[in-house]
């Protein structure tokens, strides 16, 4: 029979109590939890890391927070670091659906379970949990609002995320399954800005020069939406309708100021905390009690509810 860490600690606690001695502080340490995400320059990923770190520490874990910058090689090195340090678990927002399969497999073979958030990988049975926002549902919410704001007609632009990211394709499909039902909606440009605000600004400048009559921009995430909006403001085109996706505080503020018109919030902070809680349950009991793949629905954010949004969480 395999004893888990909690069982061992419990036995030590009982034994120490019987001896009338104090429990050593080290016996209350549940081990190291590695938290690996993309760059914290994006507030979404920063919220993930902060949510996971705070919850892990509350549950008695030492934390190791690492940033892979969407570089699969750097991510692989970070897995090696987590394995070498004997991490109890890995919380991960990955650097590519294909490129991440092998590191997760390597960790599993080393006896370290992985709990994925935000982005899925291409294989099942390697990670214990893959907790992601319902990107298709969220994209459809955003597209429905975009169509309404566009009054069902006019030329528009779509900014795509990173091509290696499964979420980019899912969101685009969700957008088009709604927008393409309206024949008077005309997509005049579709380009990837790789989730980047700087790249979105540059792409938007170029697109606007070639398509000065655009009426709207729908973006695969809020960071690109902010870049597009900055370019539109610089060109004096505040009349263009911009809709994002993520639910960042920056876009919230823009919505409240009458800039960007809408976004769709995905619960990044809570999602990361949930992954930590499932890791804690798994380490204690050998199971999370949940399916590997889990979807969390998104929420449309407009001027009506934007004031209730804070760090990818909506208050009542």
């Amino acid at each position: 029979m395999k004893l888990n860490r909690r069982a061992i600690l419990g036995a030590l606690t009982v034994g120490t109590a019987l001896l009338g001695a104090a429990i050593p502080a080290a016996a209350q340490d549940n081990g190291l939890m590695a938290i690996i995400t993309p760059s914290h320059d994006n507030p979404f990923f920063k919220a993930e890391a902060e949510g996971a770190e705070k919850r892990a520490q509350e549950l008695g874990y030492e934390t190791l927070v690492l940033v892979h910058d969407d570089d699969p090689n750097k991510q692989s090195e970070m897995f090696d670091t987590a394995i070498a340090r004997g991490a109890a678990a890995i919380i991960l927002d990955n650097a590519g659906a294909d490129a991440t399969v092998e590191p997760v497999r390597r960790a599993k073979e080393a006896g370290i379970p992985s709990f994925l958030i935000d982005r899925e990988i291409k294989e099942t049975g390697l990670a214990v949990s893959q907790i992601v926002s319902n990107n298709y549902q969220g994209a459809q919410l955003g597209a429905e609002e975009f169509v309404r704001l566009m009054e069902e007609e006019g030329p528009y632009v779509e900014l795509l995320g990173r091509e290696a990211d499964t979420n980019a394709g899912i969101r685009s499909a969700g957008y088009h399954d709604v927008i393409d039902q309206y024949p008077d909606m005309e997509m005049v440009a579709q380009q990837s800005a790789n989730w980047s605000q700087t790249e979105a600004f540059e792409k938007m400048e170029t697109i606007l020069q070639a398509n000065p009559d655009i009426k709207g921009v729908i973006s695969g995430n809020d960071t690109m939406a902010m870049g597009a909006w900055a370019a539109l403001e610089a060109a004096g085109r505040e009349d263009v309708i911009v809709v994002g996706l993520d639910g960042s505080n920056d876009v919230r503020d823009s919505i409240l100021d009458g800039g960007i018109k809408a976004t769709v919030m995905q619960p990044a902070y809570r999602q990361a905390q949930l992954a930590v809680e499932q890791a804690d349950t798994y380490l204690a009991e050998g199971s999370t009690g949940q399916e590997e793949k889990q979807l969390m629905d998104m929420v449309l954010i407009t001027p009506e509810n934007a004031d209730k949004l804070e760090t990818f969480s909506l208050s009542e």
Side-chain angles (χ1 to χ4, degrees):
M1 180 179 70
K2 182 180 179 181
L3 287 176
N4 60 46
R5 181 182 286 104
R6 296 291 175 74
I8 294 169
L9 291 177
L12 286 172
T13 301
V14 172
T16 305
L18 289 173
L19 290 171
I23 302 170
Q28 299 178 37
D29 182 8
N30 286 327
L32 176 69
M33 193 168 289
I35 300 161
I36 307 173
T37 71
S39 172
H40 295 182
D41 289 344
N42 184 321
F44 179 85
F45 302 127
K46 182 179 180 181
E48 285 182 334
E50 289 177 348
E53 181 178 30
K54 181 179 179 182
R55 191 69 182 116
Q57 290 175 354
E58 288 172 349
L59 292 171
Y61 295 90
E62 178 190 354
T63 55
L64 175 65
V65 179
L66 301 169
V67 172
H68 58 56
D69 292 321
D70 283 311
D71 181 339
N73 292 325
K74 187 180 290 187
Q75 176 181 259
S76 183
E77 292 171 359
M78 290 173 176
F79 265 76
D80 288 341
T81 297
I83 292 168
R85 290 191 56 175
I90 296 171
I91 308 297
L92 173 71
D93 191 339
N94 73 69
D98 289 313
T100 305
V101 169
E102 186 52 38
V104 172
R105 188 194 310 277
R106 202 159 69 241
K108 182 179 181 181
E109 290 172 351
I112 302 172
S114 296
F115 299 80
L116 275 57
I117 53 175
D118 181 42
R119 303 170 177 175
E120 300 175 73
I121 57 174
K122 288 290 181 68
E123 290 191 27
T124 58
L126 297 178
V128 175
S129 298
Q130 297 196 55
I131 308 170
V132 301
S133 297
N134 192 337
N135 284 279
Y136 185 79
Q137 171 260 351
Q140 289 196 309
L141 282 179
E144 289 165 0
E145 181 67 4
F146 184 64
V147 168
R148 187 189 72 79
L149 292 166
M150 293 277 291
E151 299 178 330
E152 302 182 6
E153 64 179 11
Y156 74 94
V157 172
E158 180 185 9
L159 293 178
L160 300 164
R162 291 179 63 245
E163 293 182 6
D165 189 336
T166 303
N167 288 346
I170 293 173
R171 292 177 186 182
S172 183
Y175 286 158
H176 285 281
D177 283 352
V178 172
I179 297 171
D180 293 353
Q181 298 178 52
Y182 298 87
D184 293 330
M185 297 278 290
E186 179 191 4
M187 185 172 68
V188 295
Q190 181 188 54
Q191 292 191 31
S192 171
N194 293 303
W195 306 129
S196 164
Q197 184 166 333
T198 301
E199 194 168 339
F201 181 91
E202 295 168 350
K203 292 287 177 70
M204 194 70 247
E205 281 188 319
T206 302
I207 291 170
L208 192 56
Q209 289 172 4
N211 302 276
D213 61 340
I214 62 167
K215 184 179 176 182
V217 178
I218 191 161
S219 172
N221 79 344
D222 278 354
T223 306
M224 295 187 298
M226 288 295 291
W229 181 248
L232 290 164
E233 278 190 308
R237 290 298 311 275
E238 292 93 342
D239 60 306
V240 176
I241 294 159
V242 178
V243 171
L245 193 154
D246 273 344
S248 71
N249 287 356
D250 287 341
V251 166
R252 172 204 64 194
D253 293 344
S254 181
I255 291 171
L256 292 172
D257 288 341
I260 292 172
K261 295 299 183 286
T263 185
V264 183
M265 183 202 78
Q266 53 174 330
Y269 195 86
R270 177 60 192 144
Q271 196 172 92
Q273 290 192 318
L274 184 60
V276 170
E277 289 163 7
Q278 290 191 12
D280 185 59
T281 299
Y282 181 83
L283 292 169
E285 303 174 10
S287 171
T288 65
Q290 304 291 330
E291 297 291 330
E292 176 183 337
K293 291 201 173 185
Q294 303 162 48
L295 292 176
M296 297 180 73
D297 281 347
M298 300 191 192
V299 179
L300 180 67
I301 304 297
T302 67
E304 283 68 43
N305 64 351
D307 61 337
K308 298 179 180 178
L309 178 64
E310 176 61 43
T311 317
F312 304 98
S313 180
L314 203 62
S315 64
E316 295 298 328

